Amino acid sequence: MIEYRNIHKAFDLPVLTGVDMRVETGEMFALFGPSGTGKSVLLKTTIGLVLPDMGEVEVDGISVYRGGRGAVEAVRQKVGYVFQHSALFDSLHVFDNVAMGIPEDVLARMPRNETAVKVWEALELVNLEPREILSKIPSELSGGMKKRVGIARAIIGRPEVLLWDEPTTGLDPINTAAVERLIEQLSTELQVTSLLVTHDVEGGLMICDRVAMLDSGTIRFCGTPDEFRACPDPVVQAFVDRAAAEAALDMVSESYD
């Protein structure tokens, strides 16, 4: 469903230096790596939010960079994007924030009552009570609720692909686990291909079919969760051990709250 070929990207310094990675149709795939290694940059190349300096991305056989503007628009209609910090519009109510996930040309032709039905259904899918939050603005929502509204916006157009950019950032362990269960549930119920960029390694290993680790601008590892845990590469092992230690500290911290 998604293929990255020889992706290079530099800003002041090189970030991606030849990434090759495939995500199969219907797969739940997690991308790990230390902070600042370009995970979110790679994710943004999928729908043309970041242009690589070299390389190619294809989504369902459509070239994002050689197919012209029409190809980018076609890809974006296939893909739902969950942004790291929800990216809700502060001045808009929940209803309008979620409705913005419907393609603009489709939304312009859609009767208001049909839009309302789709927004209602999307909120229910992410386990929010529409009656309670439709008229609220983002500042009136908790962090966990903002995340779910952002997810509702990503799924309202019934995409074939969901891209998750650090969806549990800023959440406590309980809400982190709840969002990860929701990711797994939605990926199954909506029958979508999911690519998850996450710092929660243990959570990603529990819910994903395959995982990859980005390190020093390239893919250091790609395989199943069991293969990742057993990988003899010392860099991978150090990353796994550090992630496990951080998860343990989070659990201890939560027990004292």
Side-chain angles (χ1 to χ4, degrees):
M1 178 60 78
I2 311 171
E3 184 170 5
Y4 304 90
R5 295 197 297 269
N6 195 31
I7 301 296
H8 290 251
K9 183 63 183 178
F11 295 100
D12 292 333
L13 296 171
V15 177
L16 304 174
T17 57
V19 173
D20 292 291
M21 191 173 81
R22 288 171 61 95
V23 181
E24 303 297 341
T25 301
E27 190 171 38
M28 283 196 64
F29 192 105
L31 181 61
F32 304 139
S35 297
T37 54
K39 302 185 297 296
S40 293
V41 172
L42 182 65
L43 204 67
K44 289 180 171 66
T45 67
T46 317
I47 56 172
L49 292 178
V50 169
L51 299 178
D53 302 324
M54 182 189 303
E56 176 64 292
V57 181
E58 289 187 359
V59 178
D60 199 19
I62 302 172
S63 170
V64 178
Y65 299 105
R66 296 179 184 171
R69 184 66 186 175
V72 174
E73 291 301 325
V75 166
R76 289 180 178 177
Q77 292 200 16
K78 290 176 175 285
V79 176
Y81 200 110
V82 180
F83 289 90
Q84 183 171 352
H85 298 291
S86 301
L88 302 180
F89 292 90
D90 294 338
S91 60
L92 297 182
H93 294 99
V94 166
F95 179 94
D96 293 312
N97 265 292
V98 176
M100 290 191 73
I102 301 171
E104 187 176 358
D105 58 331
V106 176
L107 184 61
R109 300 191 304 269
M110 187 177 291
R112 183 74 171 177
N113 64 328
E114 185 177 342
T115 304
V117 169
K118 289 185 176 296
V119 170
W120 191 282
E121 290 175 345
L123 290 171
E124 287 187 327
L125 274 171
V126 298
N127 302 323
L128 288 173
E129 175 48 63
R131 290 184 184 85
E132 296 178 1
I133 69 165
L134 275 173
S135 61
K136 292 183 181 294
I137 58 175
S139 62
E140 298 175 301
L141 305 177
S142 68
M145 293 173 76
K146 289 178 185 177
K147 295 280 187 181
R148 290 171 185 266
V149 171
I151 295 170
R153 180 179 59 194
I155 66 173
I156 191 172
R158 291 298 192 272
E160 297 174 39
V161 177
L162 281 172
L163 303 178
W164 307 82
D165 189 1
E166 298 280 12
T168 60
T169 293
L171 298 181
D172 59 63
I174 292 175
N175 275 313
T176 292
V179 169
E180 286 169 348
R181 287 194 299 271
L182 182 59
I183 292 170
E184 186 175 25
Q185 170 196 330
L186 291 174
S187 295
T188 301
E189 288 185 6
L190 301 178
Q191 298 183 327
V192 297
T193 302
S194 282
L195 175 53
L196 169 65
V197 166
T198 180
H199 66 280
D200 182 12
V201 175
E202 286 303 314
L205 290 172
M206 288 177 62
I207 66 174
C208 288
D209 303 305
R210 285 194 305 141
V211 303
M213 178 178 166
L214 186 63
D215 180 67
S216 300
T218 60
I219 298 298
R220 183 95 186 193
F221 170 91
C222 186
T224 68
D226 286 342
E227 290 169 342
F228 185 68
R229 291 188 179 97
C231 181
D233 184 330
V235 174
V236 174
Q237 275 300 311
F239 182 78
V240 172
D241 292 344
R242 184 168 63 250
E246 289 173 354
L249 285 173
D250 284 343
M251 290 180 65
V252 171
S253 175
E254 181 68 13
S255 69
Y256 281 99
D257 287 344

